[in-house]
């Protein structure tokens, strides 16, 4: 064994070598492909790597380099047929390259060596939502599978490279994949600490995603060897042995020790562990060839190939401990362990097709080759013998099923015979031959005779069909086939029919022709049309049920085969004349109809007893009409067909429960055994009673098929398991909510029902235009969002609404998405809340947060990703706001809507991190800060963010948050020396001072704040519940020249002086 480390075999940069994440060897063993953090896929000559120490070698080293990714490339793999090369990167794209035999063209740029080969981009596959971590080709190159950090396994066609299926079976990041050499399974390894086996059948060249819906199914999920495996590895690259018997899974543990789990085929267990590494193993690779422990000339063979007991496999393992271990299945200990092979952890391993050379890549940028001498690992077995070992797993039998037993074969033969007999019978009936035998009934007696029609009143038509002889005698059923009630029936037209079959005529040109035989002219055959013949009642009753087609028409019952109008239309025809109205010409109606149908229009006429007349609009029928079932709201609401906003309706569940605190007015019953003190304690805040609303929807559909006949929905409210009240609804319930003031339930027909805490109906059923998809409550307010995106808010105390229904269309970018030709998925609503004053608060999947202003009748954006990237105050103030608990606010209830700003900004932070939007904006901001003219960019955005917060809290009435953000804003503009903004802020605080003498200075008018103190110039001594004198106090001496005059107008120095004198008198 020798190590080869060419100096030129690296992804070099200006200052350092880039991390090499993956490598692979082509099937012909002439090329090595590597992928690294520089965004390049490089193809190297393996011959040049082996002859790196030979100074006389002047062949090419790097054959080609491709840069079609916009980020770090994590994996690169050749297809089994060598035709394609695939790579996956952190730009979420899989690139497929194909070899171009034409000579390459080179542009001398970036000091790149001229390419020797040309690999052109063939396809760019887009199907992942996060980094692509590993790739795998099936051994017949029919499919390509990619796995990534989005927890998805995506299957691509190896012919057209269309997406065949997306598998979401893993619960965490997927970091490795390997294929069964028998082409029956592939295995994926994930950070959910499982290795999953997927069974598949190789698709054809024209297969589509629809054809593969039932393909790629989960066979087994293996968990035991990985229960405590670390989640710090970058890869979990597993490998399948060339004989198909074992899977080597990386990053397994055996107790506290890192190991490699060997999973046995068929039983899929992982009891065997390879222990020898000090750190987690990230990559395993079986040698593609089998080896023998003895020389091929000395070993015994059974005539079919190698002795299986002498065959061994070789596996290489590497990982974070920077060590390489080589194992042979015949030895319990590793063949060799090489430590400190690189400076950083090893990332990938690749064997050459002969199984004697191994390439290793490391995150320190080095690429190493380990070469073994012949016989060092064992004696190499031919490729034909390796393929023979896979035959027992069904290799090469495409789509071959497995017979479970002889009974299955007998059933297949029986089914094939029935199909053939049925086909012959149908063809015979079509050509006029006798149909297959069937049992018939005549006058109540069963006669198993082969007939062409059912026996009626003792008459059975004759037939030429004969049954085979049994022991030289005619079967009993054949001897009696023409004897029914003692009568023998012979065919009188048989001789005539034989003559007609062979009648030959001579045409005018002298050619002979056989005259076709008209089947209806033969007396021995019946017409296939129904015959008008009465059937006896005894025949109908006693005959039993016959599955054969009925060929005799029973006029005692209605026959749906007759045309509209019955027998009259069948006999006389349905061609009607035009009815002649009074005082009209003879052909006036014909002219009017022909004129109407001149341009291709179809006239609408009515078929009356007097003839055809043009249709005219009639008056609607009086009285209440039943609602058709096809427009039931629970099936399809008409408003959804014309609405541009369509939200998903929640699924109907059989059982819905929700638990809340104790409502008002529900006193705990006094326990006679413990006295009234216990009841008072139960009513106190220390021991709140647990209340639960429970909904049970009908579990079965109505037997009649009508929605009005279904069972009612049962609603029960209980406290600690004891029922308080119960009610029933005629429709199934989708959503429920409640608090200390009321309960509410939303039904599938678009109705809202509300109850008091004691169970009294609070209001009549509220009818909406579509199904509700979200209901929320806050104090006395109820919010409902419908499937067409309308938001309703009601005050359940006053039974009023603060504003008309509001649409979510402006928030969902309908103005942008509606310009497209088809329905497009836009931002989704992730959360909907109500403030304590009934303000609607919405959070979207793109990170934006909104609140509705009822005074301005407009949505306002409160939070967005822009503030998260450019503001220095992002994530500031949330803790301080949460800790603020004013005693005065606790008494008068003025601490309203607190926490809305942190709630919306927290959602923005979460969504931006998940979708990666913040990363792109951060890069943009960093580029802007280095440009000329953007020196004050960060400071300007931070001040704008604080101004946005102050305006939002003032609109929402968040008293505590308003004070915190106002002080932060005043301090920042004071430190920046923005005197104009400071003076403008003080004017806002001074505005309206003394303008309303009816409101006392000591009063905090919480009940009037909706219309009074939500703006700076409101004519009162309060702003957002705070006294203006309280907000005017400041400590910035640089701005005293501006703040002191305004403070004097508000009387702040006088209050401080009186307060100081009072304190001195007390002391």
């Amino acid at each position: 064994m020798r190590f080869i480390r060419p100096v030129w075999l690296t992804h070099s940069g200006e200052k350092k070598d880039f991390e090499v994440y993956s490598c692979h060897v082509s099937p012909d063993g002439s090329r090595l492909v590597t992928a690294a953090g520089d965004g390049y896929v490089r193809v190297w000559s393996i011959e040049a790597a082996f002859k790196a120490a030979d100074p006389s070698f002047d062949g090419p080293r790097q054959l080609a380099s491709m840069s079609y990714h916009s980020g770090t490339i994590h994996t690169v793999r050749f297809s089994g047929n060598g035709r394609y090369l695939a790579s996956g990167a952190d730009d979420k794209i899989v690139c497929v390259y194909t070899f171009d035999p034409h000579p390459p063209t080179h542009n001398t740029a970036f000091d790149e060596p001229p390419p020797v080969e040309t690999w052109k981009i063939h396809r760019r596959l887009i199907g992942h939502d996060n980094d692509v971590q590993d790739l795998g080709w099936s051994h017949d190159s029919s499919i390509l599978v990619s796995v990534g950090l989005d927890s998805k396994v995506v299957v691509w066609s190896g012919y057209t490279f269309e997406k065949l299926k997306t598998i979401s079976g893993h619960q965490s990041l997927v970091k490795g994949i390997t294929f069964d050499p028998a082409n029956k399974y592939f295995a994926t390894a994930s950070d959910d600490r499982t290795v999953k086996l997927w069974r598949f059948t190789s698709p054809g060249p024209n297969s589509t995603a629809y054809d593969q819906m039932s393909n790629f199914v989960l066979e087994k999920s293996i968990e035991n060897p990985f229960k405590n495996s670390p989640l710090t590895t970058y890869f979990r690259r597993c490998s399948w042995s060339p004989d198909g018997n074992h899977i080597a899974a990386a990053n397994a543990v055996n107790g506290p020790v890192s190991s490699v789990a060997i999973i046995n085929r068929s039983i899929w267990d992982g009891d065997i562990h390879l222990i020898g590494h000090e750190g987690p193993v990230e990559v395993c690779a079986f040698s593609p060839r089998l080896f023998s422990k003895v020389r091929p000339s000395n070993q015994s063979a059974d005539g079919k190939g190698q002795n299986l007991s002498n065959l061994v496999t070789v596996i290489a393992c590497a990982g974070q401990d920077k060590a390489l271990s080589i194992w042979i299945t015949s030895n319990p200990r590793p063949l060799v362990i090489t430590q400190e092979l690189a400076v950083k952890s090893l990332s990938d391993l690749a064997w050459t097709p002969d199984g004697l050379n191994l390439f290793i890549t490391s995150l320190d940028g080095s690429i190493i080759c380990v070469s073994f001498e012949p016989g060092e690992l064992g004696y190499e077995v031919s490729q034909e013998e390796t393929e023979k070992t896979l035959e027992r797993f069904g290799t090469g039998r495409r789509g071959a099923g497995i017979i479970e037993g002889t009974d299955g074969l007998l059933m297949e033969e029986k089914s094939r015979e029935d199909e053939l007999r049925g086909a012959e019978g149908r063809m015979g009936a079509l050509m006029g031959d006798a149909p297959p035998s069937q049992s018939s009934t005549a006058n109540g007696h069963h006669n198993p005779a082969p007939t062409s029609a059912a026996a009626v009143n003792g008459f059975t038509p004759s037939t030429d069909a004969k049954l085979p002889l049994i022991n030289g005698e005619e079967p009993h059923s054949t001897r009696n086939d023409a004897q029914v009630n003692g009568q023998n029936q012979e065919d009188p037209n048989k001789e005539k029919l034989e003559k007609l079959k062979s009648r030959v005529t001579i045409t005018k040109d002298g050619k002979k022709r056989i005259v076709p035989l008209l089947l209806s002219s033969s007396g021995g055959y019946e017409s296939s049309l129904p015959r008008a013949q009465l059937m006896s009642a005894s025949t109908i009753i006693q005959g039993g049920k016959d599955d054969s087609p009925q060929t005799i028409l029973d006029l005692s019952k209605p026959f749906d085969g007759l045309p509209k109008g019955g027998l009259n239309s069948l006999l006389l025809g349905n061609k009607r004349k035009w009815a002649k109205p009074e005082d009209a010409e003879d052909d006036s109606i014909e002219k009017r109809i022909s004129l109407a149908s001149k341009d291709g229009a179809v006239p609408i006429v009515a078929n009356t007893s007097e003839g055809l007349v043009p249709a005219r609009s009639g008056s609607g029928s009086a009285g209440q009409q039943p609602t058709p079932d096809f427009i039931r709201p629970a099936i399809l609401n008409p408003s959804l067909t014309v609405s541009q906003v369509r939200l998903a309706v929640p699924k109907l569940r059989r059982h819905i429960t929700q638990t809340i605190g104790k409502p008002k007015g529900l006193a705990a019953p006094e326990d006679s055994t413990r006295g009234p003190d216990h009841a008072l304690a139960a009513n106190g805040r220390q021991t709140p009673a647990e209340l639960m609303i429970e909904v049970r929807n009908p579990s079965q559909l109505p037997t009649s098929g009508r929605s009005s006949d279904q069972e009612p929905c049962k609603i029960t409210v209980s406290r600690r398991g004891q029922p308080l009240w119960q009610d029933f609804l005629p429709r199934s319930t989708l959503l429920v909510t409640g608090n200390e003031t009321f309960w509410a339930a939303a039904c599938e027909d678009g109705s809202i029902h509300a109850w008091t805490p004691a169970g009294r109906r609070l209001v009549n059923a509220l009818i909406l235009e579509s199904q509700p998809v979200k209901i929320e409550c806050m104090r006395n307010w109820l919010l409902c969002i419908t499937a067409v995106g309308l938001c309703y808010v009601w005050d359940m105390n006053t039974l009023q609404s603060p504003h008309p229904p509001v649409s979510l269309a402006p928030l969902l970018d309908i103005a942008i998405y509606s310009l497209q030709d088809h329905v497009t998925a836009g931002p989704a609503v992730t959360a909907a809340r109500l403030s304590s004053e009934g303000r609607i608060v919405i959070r979207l999947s793109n990170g934006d947060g909104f609140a509705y202003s009822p005074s301005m009748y407009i949505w306002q954006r409160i939070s967005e990703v822009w503030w998260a990237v450019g503001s220095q105050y992002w994530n500031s103030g949330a803790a301080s706001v949460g800790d603020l608990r004013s005693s005065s606010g606790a008494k008068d209830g003025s601490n309203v809507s607190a926490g809305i700003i942190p709630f919306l900004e927290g959602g923005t932070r979460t969504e931006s991190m998940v979708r990666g939007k913040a990363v792109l904006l951060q890069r943009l901001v960093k580029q802007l800060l280095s440009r000329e003219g953007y020196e004050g960019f960060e400071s300007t955005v931070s001040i704008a963010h604080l101004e946005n917060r102050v305006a939002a809290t003032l609109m929402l009435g968040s008293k505590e948050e308003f004070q915190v953000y106002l002080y932060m804003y005043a301090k920042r503009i004071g430190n920046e020396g923005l005197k104009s903004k400071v003076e403008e802020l003080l004017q806002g605080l001074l505005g309206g001072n003394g303008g309303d003498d009816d409101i006392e200075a000591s009063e905090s008018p919480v009940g009037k704040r909706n219309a009074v103190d939500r703006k700076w110039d409101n004519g009162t001594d309060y702003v957002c519940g705070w006294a203006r004198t309280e907000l005017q106090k400041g400590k910035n001496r640089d701005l005293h020249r501006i703040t002191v005059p305004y403070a004097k107008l508000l009387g702040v120095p006088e209050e401080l002086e009186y307060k100081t004198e009072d304190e001195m008198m007390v002391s």
Side-chain angles (χ1 to χ4, degrees), residues 202-470:
S202 298
N206 299 324
S207 297
T208 61
Y210 181 79
D211 303 333
Q212 305 301 314
M213 292 179 62
S214 59
N215 202 358
F216 312 104
V217 295
L218 180 64
E219 177 75 12
K220 182 71 174 180
S221 181
I222 305 166
E223 303 177 359
N224 289 332
F226 317 100
K227 285 185 176 180
N228 299 318
S229 62
L231 303 179
T232 57
T233 58
Y234 205 78
F235 300 103
R236 289 177 180 257
R237 285 171 169 158
C238 43
S239 179
W240 211 304
S241 63
D243 58 356
N245 285 325
H246 304 97
I247 303 174
N251 199 10
V253 291
N254 187 3
V257 182
S258 298
S259 66
V260 176
I262 303 298
I263 302 171
N264 296 315
R265 193 187 184 99
S266 299
I267 59 177
W268 308 120
D269 62 347
D271 297 336
I272 304 175
H273 290 265
L274 304 182
I275 301 175
H277 285 267
E278 298 178 357
V281 178
E282 296 196 16
V283 56
C284 304
F286 273 102
S287 174
R289 302 296 290 271
L290 292 176
F291 293 89
S292 176
K293 293 183 292 184
V294 297
R295 291 182 180 275
S297 59
N298 297 332
Q299 69 178 12
S300 60
D302 56 358
K304 296 183 180 180
Q306 301 286 346
N307 190 353
L308 298 180
S309 62
N310 296 326
L311 299 182
V312 296
T313 56
V314 179
I315 180 176
C317 308
Q320 291 185 357
D321 59 353
K322 298 166 285 188
L324 172 69
S325 62
I326 307 294
W327 303 73
I328 298 180
T329 54
S330 60
N331 297 333
R333 296 181 179 274
L335 178 66
V336 61
I337 295 181
T338 305
Q339 298 182 349
E340 301 298 331
L341 194 60
V343 179
K344 295 183 180 179
S345 61
L346 307 181
S347 57
D348 203 359
L349 302 172
W351 289 89
T352 54
D354 57 3
L356 298 178
N357 301 282
L358 176 66
F359 286 92
I360 310 164
T361 60
S362 173
L363 297 184
D364 63 357
S366 60
I367 303 173
I368 308 167
C369 176
V370 181
S371 181
F372 297 92
E373 298 295 333
E376 192 171 359
L377 298 177
Y379 298 98
E380 186 177 353
V381 177
S382 63
Q383 188 66 31
E384 291 77 8
E385 298 297 333
T386 303
E387 294 177 356
K388 286 183 179 180
T389 60
L390 298 174
E391 291 181 356
R392 63 180 183 273
F393 301 127
T395 304
R397 296 197 296 268
R398 181 183 180 90
I402 300 176
I403 301 299
E404 301 294 338
T406 56
D407 294 339
L409 290 174
L410 294 176
M411 294 177 65
E412 287 185 7
E413 294 295 334
K414 179 64 175 177
S415 176
R416 192 176 296 110
E417 291 177 1
D418 293 342
E419 292 178 0
L420 182 60
R421 188 183 303 111
E424 292 176 351
R426 289 191 297 271
M427 183 60 67
L430 180 63
M431 299 304 295
D433 298 334
S437 62
Q438 61 184 18
S439 61
S440 59
T441 303
N443 291 338
H445 299 283
H446 182 71
N447 178 28
T451 61
S452 61
V456 180
N457 295 333
F459 174 75
T460 304
S462 62
T463 178
D464 295 335
K466 297 293 183 180
L467 292 178
L469 298 179
I470 301 177

Side-chain angles (χ1 to χ4, degrees), residues 752-976:
I752 303 290
H753 301 265
W755 299 267
T756 62
R760 177 176 57 87
R761 289 287 182 124
L762 189 61
V763 68
N764 296 332
L766 309 178
I767 306 303
L768 305 175
E769 78 287 341
S770 60
Q771 293 94 336
V773 299
K774 182 76 172 178
I775 57 172
E776 289 288 339
C777 64
M778 170 61 72
R779 296 186 181 177
N780 57 308
W781 299 98
L782 176 62
L783 167 67
C784 178
I785 301 178
T786 64
V788 296
L790 290 182
C791 301
Y792 293 84
V793 178
W794 301 286
D795 186 348
M796 303 308 290
N797 285 347
T798 62
L799 299 182
Q800 294 179 352
S801 178
H803 51 76
V806 185
S807 176
L808 292 176
L811 310 188
L812 303 178
D813 297 339
I814 293 300
I816 300 176
Y817 289 93
S818 62
L819 298 179
Q820 304 183 12
D821 297 336
H822 51 83
V823 179
T824 308
V829 179
T830 58
R833 298 288 188 272
L834 273 176
S835 71
S836 55
E837 294 186 348
R839 306 293 177 89
I840 309 174
V841 180
I842 299 295
R843 198 168 70 184
L844 301 183
S845 59
N846 58 7
D848 293 350
F850 302 87
Y852 185 75
S853 174
S855 59
M856 300 181 67
Y857 298 101
I858 196 67
W859 289 101
Q860 296 185 11
R861 183 185 287 111
I862 307 299
S863 178
E864 57 181 323
V865 184
W866 175 251
W867 304 126
V869 176
S871 174
Q872 298 173 343
Y873 292 94
W874 190 255
N875 292 331
S876 66
S880 58
V881 171
D883 296 337
L884 285 174
R885 293 294 183 269
S886 171
S887 59
S888 60
K891 293 180 181 179
D892 59 9
S894 59
N895 187 14
V896 296
S897 306
I900 292 181
I901 305 298
F903 166 73
L904 294 179
E905 291 188 351
T908 302
R909 179 174 59 255
T910 303
E911 296 295 340
S912 61
M913 291 177 61
V914 171
R915 298 179 179 272
K917 187 176 180 181
V919 178
L920 299 177
L921 289 177
Q922 282 180 351
R923 294 177 182 175
L924 175 62
V925 170
K926 289 181 180 179
Q927 294 177 1
L928 290 177
L929 293 177
S930 61
R931 295 182 182 178
E932 183 179 358
Y934 290 90
E935 294 79 6
F937 172 80
E938 198 169 7
S939 175
T940 303
V941 174
S942 300
I943 294 175
H945 182 211
L946 291 177
E947 293 171 349
N948 183 77
R949 282 179 169 180
V950 172
T953 52
L954 184 61
M955 186 269 292
L956 293 171
S958 304
K959 178 181 177 182
E960 304 295 346
E961 293 180 276
F962 176 76
Q963 184 194 34
V964 172
Y965 297 142
L966 182 64
Y967 284 171
M968 293 171 64
Y969 174 65
K971 183 178 180 180
R972 180 58 184 261
I973 60 177
N975 294 336
E976 294 287 342

Side-chain angles (χ1 to χ4, degrees), residues 161-181:
F161 294 100
E162 295 181 0
K163 185 192 298 184
L164 298 180
K165 194 170 186 178
T166 299
I167 306 173
S168 301
H170 284 284
Q171 305 300 321
S172 187
L173 319 178
V174 189
K175 297 182 177 179
I177 181 174
T178 182
F179 268 88
D180 174 21

